[in-house]
Amino acid sequence: MCGRYAASRGPEDLARIFGVERWEPAETLAPDWNVAPTKEVQVILDRPLKDAPSPRPVRQLRVVRWGLVPSWAPNPDGAARMINARSETLHEKPSFRRPFAQRRCIVPADGYYEWVTAPGERQLEVEGKKKRARKQPYFVRPADGSVLAMAGIYEFWRDAALPAEHPRAWWATCSVITAEAETAPLAGAPAEGPRSLGDIHPRMPLALTPDRWDAWLDPARTDENELRDLLAPPPGGLMRAYPVSTAVSNVRNNGPELLEELAAPEEATLF
């Protein structure tokens, strides 16, 4: 899954990488090394500009809230549960079907965090000898240091309790698409530790390689079969994973030190 990630790149860098034509300086977000559900996040999307003379889609960097609120929802209370959409079923789910067809985006990240429970800890939990197993966070990022372009969908929700001119009358929200975690060896996998993303967690955010960015963002593409072809996982072995401080487990902690690689896991031996 993807429940926490890091995003430190500024708008100029993202504009250069993704070919962004438009962003609002007032919406620029500070680097965030501990992005959690319901936070404001940056996304890349192709959409016509409001009140523009041309209907041409323009590539934009927009700020939305992480946790999708369907347009038909009576309130936004379920947003924290809608941070991920499964690639295998999002074309069927009422909450995700229309955004998948019409409103796709890219959620740029440095990488994402995932927590691993030591086998010994899991066994103690199964035997009832421990109520809460200790978990070691890992940071997963592209091995070449490039941006992690996570496939996403976005939606608009109207708060009927507010007047139309109110700045919070409309919510823009998003969800990160996940896929079955790959079992190919991680790039530079150590002799000890997880050998693949599947060893860390059964799900992973769906990463889009650059050759799929334009097709994924193109709002003119609405054919379900064509879109589902874009959900194929990327080639294996492009990611590396390493243990990081358990400080990231507390959402109040935020800083580049959270990404520092540990020589060994802080918690019990994992593998």
Side-chain angles (χ1 to χ4, degrees):
M1 62 176 295
C2 181
R4 206 81 66 80
Y5 68 93
S8 66
R9 287 178 169 85
E12 292 84 2
D13 197 14
L14 294 175
R16 176 184 57 80
I17 294 170
F18 291 102
V20 171
E21 300 175 66
R22 179 75 173 266
W23 77 86
E24 295 294 338
E27 291 187 354
T28 300
L29 298 179
D32 193 339
W33 289 272
N34 201 353
V35 181
T38 73
K39 274 190 171 183
E40 289 190 327
V41 300
Q42 297 180 123
V43 300
I44 312 296
L45 55 86
D46 283 6
R47 186 177 178 84
L49 294 175
K50 186 178 180 179
D51 300 326
S54 170
R56 178 183 70 88
V58 174
R59 186 152 302 176
Q60 305 171 51
L61 176 64
R62 300 285 294 272
V63 172
V64 303
R65 192 176 299 273
W66 186 21
L68 190 137
V69 180
S71 60
W72 43 261
N75 58 63
D77 293 349
R81 298 190 301 272
M82 306 281 275
I83 60 171
N84 292 156
R86 296 174 69 93
S87 62
E88 300 89 343
T89 58
L90 86 168
H91 65 288
E92 303 170 341
K93 300 296 183 180
S95 297
F96 303 135
R97 186 169 54 226
R98 190 168 70 169
F100 174 52
Q102 301 178 359
R103 287 182 280 279
R104 297 174 301 278
C105 64
I106 289 174
V107 184
D110 302 327
Y112 69 97
Y113 300 99
E114 198 56 81
W115 281 256
V116 178
T117 303
E121 294 277 310
R122 282 197 297 268
Q123 186 59 36
L124 290 174
E125 196 173 27
V126 169
E127 295 172 358
K129 297 178 181 178
K130 196 163 191 177
K131 292 184 177 180
R132 187 174 182 180
R134 293 180 297 175
K135 295 186 178 183
Q136 171 63 50
Y138 275 73
F139 189 62
V140 182
R141 71 187 312 165
D144 62 2
S146 62
V147 67
L148 175 61
M150 300 187 292
I153 52 178
Y154 69 98
E155 185 58 286
F156 296 102
W157 179 77
R158 172 73 165 89
D159 188 344
L162 297 175
E165 65 275 9
H166 194 283
R168 296 298 297 169
W170 285 94
W171 290 39
T173 61
C174 75
S175 184
V176 172
I177 296 173
T178 66
E180 183 177 354
E182 62 186 45
T183 57
L186 287 161
E192 295 184 1
R195 304 293 299 169
S196 70
L197 291 179
D199 288 340
I200 298 175
H201 194 278
R203 307 290 297 177
M204 65 178 185
L206 179 65
L208 296 171
T209 49
D211 60 300
R212 294 186 183 181
W213 292 353
D214 288 345
W216 178 254
L217 295 176
D218 184 0
R221 288 179 178 261
T222 58
D223 181 80
E224 181 180 300
N225 291 326
E226 289 185 13
L227 294 175
R228 292 181 67 183
D229 288 343
L230 297 176
L231 296 173
L238 299 179
M239 310 295 285
R240 67 179 296 256
Y242 56 84
V244 294
S245 170
T246 53
V248 73
S249 300
N250 188 332
V251 296
R252 290 189 294 271
N253 294 327
N254 204 319
E257 67 278 2
L258 296 179
L259 272 59
E260 292 178 3
E261 183 172 356
L262 300 181
E266 290 183 347
E267 299 289 8
T269 301
L270 294 175
F271 293 86

